Amino acid sequence: MAPGSEGVMMINRINHVAIVVEDLDAALRFWRDALGLPLSKTEENPGEHVDIAFLPLGESEIELLEPTDPDSGIGKYLAKKGQGMHHLCVEVDDIDAVIARLTGHGVEMINETPRVRDEGTRYAFVHPKSAGGVLVELYELPE
Ligand code: ZN
């Protein structure tokens, strides 16, 4: 096997790009009204202290995140860094195998053990200091 070719089948697509915004309605004036992306749904996520707007784009989605609590992690992020790209989410077949592969390459994880969302999606974040300053989220969708 050629170097770097192991695990080629493990990564499927960009699931979503998440952007932190001060105000969903204001952000939608660009993403939906001016750029013309469809808005598939909006969702309140009190557990993660965000309201989210989902805008499908090809096989992926743009997620606009408006923090609802200034003291939450994402609320503090907005206060410190301002609006902008928050993270990139990569969809994988087997999140445990991908985490093992990454840590084997010396990559630091924020979540070494995947967390689980309500609908069964398993996810984990890679530390941005191991990814050139980009916060990378891994998603393993339920069967
Ligand atoms: Zn995400």
Side-chain angles (χ1 to χ4, degrees):
M1 195 179 280
S5 70
E6 78 269 32
V8 162
M9 299 302 291
M10 295 164 78
I11 309 294
N12 298 322
R13 59 176 177 143
I14 292 174
N15 181 283
H16 61 270
V17 174
I19 296 165
V20 62
V21 303
E22 290 169 357
D23 178 70
L24 280 186
D25 290 326
L28 286 170
R29 285 199 284 278
F30 170 72
W31 293 99
R32 179 190 58 196
D33 301 342
L35 192 58
L37 296 184
L39 172 64
S40 67
K41 63 174 173 173
T42 56
E43 177 181 292
E44 294 179 7
N45 189 327
E48 299 189 28
H49 309 288
V50 285
D51 290 343
I52 310 173
F54 296 88
L55 299 115
L57 175 54
E59 292 193 319
S60 305
E61 269 183 332
I62 303 287
E63 287 187 11
L64 304 176
L65 311 177
E66 179 189 329
T68 53
D69 176 357
D71 293 325
S72 66
I74 193 149
K76 288 178 179 163
Y77 180 96
L78 176 63
K80 186 175 169 194
K81 300 209 173 181
Q83 301 191 100
M85 206 185 119
H86 186 260
H87 65 268
L88 177 69
C89 178
V90 175
E91 194 179 299
V92 304
D93 288 331
D94 181 344
I95 196 169
D96 301 298
V98 172
I99 291 170
R101 175 191 161 103
L102 289 170
T103 54
H105 280 76
V107 169
E108 184 176 331
M109 300 295 300
I110 291 174
N111 313 111
E112 293 204 15
T113 305
R115 297 180 167 204
V116 185
R117 291 195 201 286
D118 294 342
E119 76 280 18
T121 298
R122 301 174 73 218
Y123 69 100
F125 284 95
V126 178
H127 200 290
K129 77 180 182 190
S130 291
V134 178
L135 179 59
V136 176
E137 181 177 30
L138 306 173
Y139 251 22
E140 180 189 308
L141 301 182
E143 292 293 320

